[in-house]
Amino acid sequence: MELQIVSGDLEGAVKVSKQIPEFESPYVLNEYESRLDESALILTAENDKEPVGFKVGYDHFKDGSFYSWMGGVLPDYRQSGVASALADVQEEWAKEKGFTSIKLKTRNKHEAMIAFAIDRGFDITEPELNKDIREMRIWMEKIL
């Protein structure tokens, strides 16, 4: 696999997001455009110029943290280092821009994402309770 991390390809990121089986109703391009501002970092992982993973974040909280808002890797490319490569670039970029931490939110049912984040040094900081425990949202943060 010839993996390349590309910055700024929002259409590629949205294309990948629509193919992530865990995303029940993925956001459309307009939703990304309405949320993102000049603080945004849009990363796509490409294999042979085809996007196979993405990571999108921005300065949502204005508290020194960078919000890693959306991300995913196509099932055929999981366990091959794509998510780690994206996270490495995001973390380096966030440090260079002066952010002191990265925050993310996931759901309890996304065990692989929770395990990935914990392996990368994230801590669980706050649950958002839900009647359906599998749908409970979990906030996580990594100090940079």
Side-chain angles (χ1 to χ4, degrees), residues 25-41:
S25 51
Y27 293 118
V28 296
L29 185 62
N30 287 359
E31 180 65 25
Y32 282 85
E33 291 172 339
S34 72
R35 287 185 187 232
L36 302 179
D37 58 20
E38 68 282 345
S39 71
L41 176 64

Side-chain angles (χ1 to χ4, degrees), residues 102-106 113-118 122-126 138-142:
I102 294 182
K103 293 180 181 178
L104 64 84
K105 179 173 60 172
T106 189
M113 181 62 205
I114 295 166
F116 175 77
I118 289 171
F122 281 78
D123 292 306
I124 294 172
T125 56
E126 182 182 348
I138 297 172
W139 281 99
M140 303 180 82
E141 184 172 17
K142 177 179 181 174

Side-chain angles (χ1 to χ4, degrees), residues 16 29 48 69 71 84-85 89-91 98 105 107-108 115 120 127:
V16 173
L29 185 62
D48 294 328
W69 172 47
S84 291
V89 172
Q90 184 184 67
E91 288 176 19
K105 179 173 60 172
R107 294 177 192 231
N108 196 34
R120 290 196 61 87

Side-chain angles (χ1 to χ4, degrees), residues 15-130:
K15 178 181 177 182
V16 173
S17 76
K18 290 179 179 177
Q19 299 174 68
I20 303 290
E22 293 84 355
F23 295 169
E24 292 149 14
S25 51
Y27 293 118
V28 296
L29 185 62
N30 287 359
E31 180 65 25
Y32 282 85
E33 291 172 339
S34 72
R35 287 185 187 232
L36 302 179
D37 58 20
E38 68 282 345
S39 71
L41 176 64
I42 300 154
L43 298 174
T44 51
E46 295 182 351
N47 183 41
D48 294 328
K49 301 202 185 285
E50 274 300 308
V52 299
F54 78 105
K55 205 159 200 34
V56 175
Y58 62 105
D59 185 8
H60 179 64
F61 300 105
K62 311 293 187 215
D63 63 358
S65 69
F66 185 76
Y67 179 39
S68 185
W69 172 47
M70 293 295 299
V73 175
L74 298 179
D76 289 348
Y77 293 89
R78 293 178 185 172
Q79 302 300 316
S80 63
V82 174
S84 291
L86 287 162
D88 288 345
V89 172
Q90 184 184 67
E91 288 176 19
E92 260 322 296
W93 180 90
K95 281 185 206 173
E96 288 172 10
K97 295 293 183 185
F99 291 100
T100 56
S101 70
I102 294 182
K103 293 180 181 178
L104 64 84
K105 179 173 60 172
T106 189
R107 294 177 192 231
N108 196 34
K109 66 183 178 182
H110 298 309
E111 295 99 345
M113 181 62 205
I114 295 166
F116 175 77
I118 289 171
D119 285 347
R120 290 196 61 87
F122 281 78
D123 292 306
I124 294 172
T125 56
E126 182 182 348
E128 286 182 13
L129 300 179
N130 188 304

